Amino acid sequence: MFSSDQSCCWFVRKVICWRAVASMAWSVLLLLPTTALFVLLIRFSLFHPILWISECLSLLTSASAIFSFILLCGVVLMVGFFNLEYYTVVPSIACSKIALLGQVLHPRQFVHSLVHCIMGVVVAWCCAFTIGGRYRSLGHSCTQDESSSGPEMCLNEYHLVLLLVGAFIGYSHSLVGVVYNMNYVSFHTMQQYKYLRFKGALPLVVKASAVQALYCLRTFLLLYFFMGYAPRAWICKTLDLNINRLTSQYYLNLPPRPLDLNINSSIHSLDSVSSLLDLSLLYHLWISGTFLLLTWYITVLLFRIFVTEVYSFPVQSTFTEDAHQCLPKVITGTQPMILKFLALQDLALLSQHSPSRRLEVFSLSQPGGHPHIWTALSKECLSLLSDLTERLVAHHDTVATNGRAKSQSTGGNKRSTTSSEGSVTSVGMEDMKTPRPGALIRTPGSVFLRSSVGAGLRTPLTIPFTPDLDSPFSSPALRRLTGPLEPQGALSPGFSSIQSPHVMRRGPKLWSASTDSQLNGSPPPSPGPAPSPSQAQLKPSFLVTFLQNRKDQVKHFLAKRMLIMYLFNKLPEASSQALFADSQVHIWALQGLSHLVAASFSEDQYGIVQTTLPTILSTLLLLQEAVDRHFKLPHTSSKPGHCSCSMGDDSYKTLRFALRSTLKTSVYRITATFGGHLHAVQMSAEHRKRLQHFLEYKE
C-alpha cells in the first residue's frame, strides 16, 4: 500500500500514521460511552428503574466488565489497523458478477473476512458475559435422566447462538465492505471541522448499524433453522457436551433479570420456530449486533474524517533538503495515492482562498527568472486532463466497435479526436509554451477499396498498408472514410493502378504527399520490384486454425448458458463508473487550473500564465467534447442516482456528473474573466467556434 520511495515516506510516517493513530485513540475513548449505553439497553427495566440503574452501575465497575472492555479495546485497535491497511482513495469497481466474485474470493479478502469473524466472536462473548443469565457460559451442568449417577455438562445453545451471530455479522461486515466499497475514502466538497463532520454523520452511523444488524439477524435465523444442527453437533463432539432438552437446575437458582423471560423455564434446543422467535432472544441478539457494528462503524468514520483532513503543503522551500515536501514536487508523485489527492486538494483550495500563496505560484525563480512552480503545477494538471481525455476516447471507440479494441498509434505525440468527421488535434505536452495547431488528416476512401466491382481488379489490399475494416482493430473513423465508394468507372487511372501489389507494398507513400498528387490527377511514381510474401506467411498453420476453431466453439457453447451469461454480463453503468473512479483528482485539477488562470488576469505580474493559455483552453475543450460524447453513449445515465443510507460510500457513482459540471464551470470562469481578449489566443477553428459558444453563454 505504501511506497518505499524516500520522498513519500515522510508523508506516511509523519501524517498518515499519526492521523490513523489519532482516529484509533478517539475510537477507544468513545468505546466507553458506547459500552455504557449498551449495558443500559441490555438491562433495561421499565417497572424497576432504581434497580435497573444500580445494577448497571455495579456491572460497569466490576472486574469482569473491565476485562471485557480491554478485549473490546483490542478489537477496536485491530479494526483501525485494518482500516489503515485496506483503505483506498480510488474505489475498486467490478464490471461483472464474475469480477465481483473474484474480489470476494481473493486471498487478501479471505484473511480480512476470517479476522473479522474472530473479532465478531470476541465481541459477542463480551456481550454474552455482560448480559449474563442464560447467555453467560457455553456449557452448564444438567441431568439427562434419572438413572444418571451425577450431573453432566450440556450445551447452552443461547450462548452458542450469540457467538455465531457475532461471527456471522463479522463476516457480513467484511463482505459488505467488498460489495459496497466500505474501504473507499472520499473527500467532502464542503470543508468542515472534524467535530462537525462526526456530529453530522453519527445519526447515519447509528441507523446503519441498527438496520444492518436487523437484516443480518433475519438471515442468520433462517440459516440456523435449516443448518443449525451442524455447528451444534460439532461443538458437542469437540467439547464433549450434551444437548439438554430438560430442565436445567443451574439456571433455576439464578436471580431474575429484566427482559429475560425464560430464565426459570426449561433450556430448550433452538431448533424450532417458536424457540427462535423468542422476544427476549431476538432483542438481545439485535442489541448485541447493533453494538458490534456501531463500534466498528465509528472507527471507520473517524478514520475517514482524520485521513481526509486538509493538509497544507509549502509552495516553495528555503532549504533544499525540504524540496521534496513542496507542492510542485508532491503533486507529480503517484504513491501513495492519498498524497496526490491531498496535494491536488490543497492546490484547489490555494487557487480559491489564498492570494499570498497564489503570488508564490506566479513568482519567478532566482536566479534565472523561470516560472518553475507554475510550469510544474500546470503541466501535471494538463497531463491528468489529457490522460482522462484519452481514456474517454478509447472507451468510446471500444463501445463503437462493439467491445473490440482500437488500434493504438505509435507516434510520439498523443492524438485526441476533435470532431465526428475524424479531425484530430495534437496537444503537445512537452512544450508548454508553444501550442501546436491541430493537424487535419484526410485519406481518400477509394484507397481503402478492398475489391473492385469490375473484373480484373479483385486483388485485395494487404496489411499493413490498408487496414482491414472488418478487423476488431479497425477505427470507426476509417469506416466512415470508406462510406459510399465510387464505382469503377469513376476511378481515375491512378486509382486503378494502385491495386497493384507492388504499389501496395510502398506503405509510407499512402500518407505522404504523393496521395495528394494522385487526387489531382498526377500519375503515381513507378514503384520498384518487391518480393511477394510467401504462401506460408499468409496461410496460418493447421494447429493455429484448429485452436481458434475450438475457442470459437467454446465461446458459442458458453454464450447459450444462462448462468455463464449472468456471471459475465456487464453490470449497468459499471464501465462508466470505473472510467471516472479517480475523477476527484481531475475535478481538483480543473478547479485549481481555472481559478489560477482567472486570478492571473489581475495578479500575474510577469504574464507567465498567458504563455500556456492556448494549451489550457485546447485541453479543456478536448475534454469537454470527450465528456459530451461519453454521456451520449447508450446505457449511460445522464442524471445522478440516489445515494443509499448505508456506511458504504457510493459518492464515486456521481463523480462523472460532478466532473461534467466542474468542467463547464471552469471554461465559463476563464471566458468570463478574459472576455474578448480570448480572440487573440491561437487555436484551431473548431476550438474557436466552441469557445465562442461559451463567450455567448450558449453552452
Side-chain angles (χ1 to χ4, degrees):
M1 179 187 64
F2 298 133
S3 174
S4 59
D5 188 74
Q6 185 178 1
S7 61
C8 300
C9 286
W10 70 270
F11 187 78
V12 174
R13 183 177 63 255
K14 296 182 179 180
V15 180
I16 298 297
C17 289
W18 279 109
R19 289 184 175 187
V21 170
S23 66
M24 295 179 196
W26 277 106
S27 302
V28 172
L29 291 177
L30 291 175
L31 184 60
L32 184 60
T34 307
T35 306
L37 179 62
F38 168 72
V39 172
L40 290 175
L41 291 176
I42 211 69
R43 295 297 184 99
F44 177 74
S45 177
L46 180 62
F47 301 104
H48 304 86
I50 299 178
L51 179 63
W52 169 45
I53 298 297
S54 60
E55 186 178 350
C56 291
L57 291 177
S58 62
L59 178 60
L60 289 173
T61 56
S62 62
S64 59
I66 296 176
F67 177 72
S68 299
F69 183 78
I70 294 175
L71 288 179
L72 292 176
C73 290
V75 170
V76 168
L77 293 177
M78 185 63 67
V79 172
F81 172 77
F82 272 92
N83 292 335
L84 178 62
E85 186 66 24
Y86 282 77
Y87 86 96
T88 177
V89 291
V90 179
S92 177
I93 303 174
C95 295
S96 61
K97 293 289 194 306
I98 192 66
L100 184 60
L101 184 61
Q103 293 179 3
V104 173
L105 300 179
H106 195 274
R108 180 180 172 90
Q109 180 60 31
F110 174 77
V111 174
H112 187 273
S113 302
L114 179 61
V115 174
H116 276 75
C117 282
I118 297 174
M119 292 190 299
V121 172
V122 173
V123 175
W125 182 86
C126 296
C127 293
F129 201 80
T130 303
I131 299 173
R134 59 184 177 182
Y135 301 96
R136 182 172 294 274
S137 61
L138 184 61
H140 59 85
S141 59
C142 60
T143 304
Q144 290 293 328
D145 49 44
E146 299 178 354
S147 61
S148 299
S149 58
E152 298 181 1
M153 295 300 295
C154 297
L155 175 66
N156 181 13
E157 265 196 85
Y158 289 93
H159 185 89
L160 175 63
V161 166
L162 189 55
L163 296 183
L164 293 178
V165 165
F168 183 79
I169 293 180
Y171 177 77
S172 300
H173 174 79
S174 178
L175 182 63
V176 168
V178 177
V179 177
Y180 295 103
N181 281 291
M182 283 280 294
N183 298 323
Y184 170 57
V185 176
S186 64
F187 292 80
H188 279 218
T189 305
M190 300 294 295
Q191 301 300 322
Q192 291 180 308
Y193 291 107
K194 295 189 289 291
Y195 169 73
L196 296 179
R197 286 189 60 183
F198 179 78
K199 179 182 177 182
L202 187 59
L204 175 62
V205 171
V206 176
K207 179 181 178 181
S209 303
V211 172
Q212 185 176 347
L214 193 61
Y215 284 129
C216 289
L217 181 59
R218 177 198 62 182
T219 307
F220 171 80
L221 291 178
L222 290 176
L223 293 176
Y224 191 80
F225 178 76
F226 291 103
M227 297 181 292
Y229 177 79
R232 284 200 304 266
W234 182 76
I235 290 293
C236 291
K237 183 179 180 180
T238 303
L239 302 180
D240 195 18
L241 298 175
N242 297 320
I243 299 180
N244 184 23
R245 300 179 183 273
L246 301 177
T247 304
S248 173
Q249 301 296 330
Y250 174 76
Y251 291 101
L252 293 177
N253 299 325
L254 291 176
R257 301 288 187 186
L259 287 179
D260 206 352
L261 305 179
N262 294 332
I263 282 182
N264 296 327
S265 59
S266 298
I267 304 298
H268 295 286
S269 178
L270 300 177
D271 55 357
S272 63
V273 176
S274 59
S275 59
L276 288 176
L277 295 182
D278 181 15
L279 294 180
S280 174
L281 176 65
L282 295 178
Y283 178 78
H284 289 151
L285 294 180
W286 177 58
I287 292 296
S288 301
T290 304
F291 170 71
L292 184 152
L293 291 175
L294 182 61
T295 55
W296 292 2
Y297 282 163
I298 288 178
T299 307
V300 173
L301 175 63
L302 288 173
F303 179 80
R304 292 176 179 176
I305 292 175
F306 274 86
V307 168
T308 57
E309 185 182 4
V310 177
Y311 187 86
S312 181
F313 296 89
V315 179
Q316 54 185 348
S317 62
T318 307
F319 305 100
T320 56
E321 57 268 15
D322 297 333
H324 63 278
Q325 302 183 13
C326 296
L327 185 61
K329 180 66 176 179
V330 170
I331 203 172
T332 58
T334 57
Q335 292 295 333
M337 285 299 296
I338 184 69
L339 177 60
K340 192 177 189 69
F341 272 66
L342 289 174
L344 285 166
Q345 183 188 39
D346 183 45
L347 176 64
L349 297 176
L350 171 155
S351 62
Q352 302 177 47
H353 309 295
S354 182
S356 60
R357 300 179 71 194
R358 285 201 302 263
L359 291 178
E360 295 185 58
V361 175
F362 299 144
S363 64
L364 300 178
S365 63
Q366 297 297 333
H370 299 288
H372 292 308
I373 299 177
W374 165 253
T375 301
L377 296 179
S378 59
K379 185 177 181 180
E380 180 63 24
C381 292
L382 291 176
S383 177
L384 288 172
L385 300 179
S386 299
D387 290 342
L388 179 60
T389 304
E390 290 182 357
R391 281 173 14 207
L392 291 174
V393 171
H395 176 74
H396 183 274
D397 292 340
T398 302
V399 173
T401 54
N402 295 325
R404 294 177 293 182
K406 177 179 177 290
S407 61
Q408 300 293 332
S409 175
T410 58
N413 298 332
K414 298 178 180 179
R415 298 178 178 176
S416 301
T417 304
T418 59
S419 65
S420 59
E421 284 81 8
S423 60
V424 179
T425 302
S426 175
V427 180
M429 297 305 301
E430 296 79 13
D431 188 3
M432 296 293 299
K433 297 184 179 181
T434 306
R436 301 181 180 179
L440 191 63
I441 301 177
R442 299 186 183 275
T443 306
S446 57
V447 176
F448 301 103
L449 186 62
R450 300 185 63 183
S451 60
S452 177
V453 179
L457 297 177
R458 300 183 182 274
T459 305
L461 297 180
T462 56
I463 300 174
F465 312 106
T466 300
D468 186 2
L469 301 179
D470 294 333
S471 171
F473 302 99
S474 61
S475 172
L478 300 181
R479 294 179 177 178
R480 288 193 295 268
L481 293 175
T482 62
L485 300 179
E486 297 178 355
Q488 182 187 0
L491 297 177
S492 63
F495 284 109
S496 61
S497 62
I498 205 170
Q499 300 296 331
S500 172
H502 301 289
V503 178
M504 289 185 294
R505 295 194 59 81
R506 295 175 59 86
K509 292 296 183 180
L510 181 63
W511 306 103
S512 62
S514 62
T515 304
D516 297 332
S517 64
Q518 295 173 17
L519 291 175
N520 297 329
S522 309
S526 58
S532 59
S534 61
Q535 188 71 14
Q537 294 177 350
L538 296 178
K539 185 178 180 180
S541 63
F542 173 77
L543 181 60
V544 174
T545 306
F546 176 79
L547 294 178
Q548 185 65 32
N549 292 337
R550 292 298 177 267
K551 181 180 178 181
D552 295 339
Q553 291 178 1
V554 171
K555 286 184 178 180
H556 185 69
F557 174 78
L558 295 178
K560 295 182 179 180
R561 300 300 180 267
M562 295 300 297
L563 179 60
I564 300 299
M565 295 303 297
Y566 173 78
L567 292 176
F568 284 90
N569 278 343
K570 295 289 185 180
L571 296 175
E573 298 190 8
S575 300
S576 180
Q577 294 173 7
L579 196 63
F580 292 90
D582 60 341
S583 290
Q584 185 61 64
V585 293
H586 304 100
I587 292 174
W588 284 329
L590 287 169
Q591 292 176 348
L593 205 58
S594 61
H595 278 287
L596 287 175
V597 171
S600 69
F601 188 76
S602 58
E603 299 178 8
D604 185 10
Q605 301 177 0
Y606 306 102
I608 61 176
V609 176
Q610 277 67 33
T611 59
T612 57
L613 188 56
T615 304
I616 293 174
L617 290 175
S618 299
T619 304
L620 295 183
L621 293 176
L622 281 173
L623 182 58
Q624 174 75 27
E625 182 180 355
V627 170
D628 291 343
R629 292 177 63 192
H630 177 79
F631 278 95
K632 293 178 182 179
L633 291 175
H635 309 294
T636 301
S637 176
S638 59
K639 295 181 180 180
H642 298 285
C643 297
S644 62
C645 61
S646 64
M647 280 296 294
D649 196 343
D650 53 0
S651 59
Y652 64 88
K653 297 180 180 180
T654 60
L655 280 178
R656 60 189 189 275
F657 305 102
L659 176 70
R660 179 177 61 175
S661 176
T662 304
L663 178 58
K664 186 173 293 186
T665 303
S666 300
V667 180
Y668 271 122
R669 183 178 295 116
I670 296 176
T671 55
T673 302
F674 286 87
H677 297 284
L678 295 177
H679 293 297
V681 177
Q682 297 180 0
M683 62 180 65
S684 63
E686 182 71 21
H687 285 170
R688 191 174 300 280
K689 180 180 178 181
R690 189 72 179 267
L691 192 63
Q692 186 63 31
H693 291 169
F694 281 95
L695 289 171
E696 298 174 357
Y697 296 95
K698 292 182 179 180
E699 281 288 337

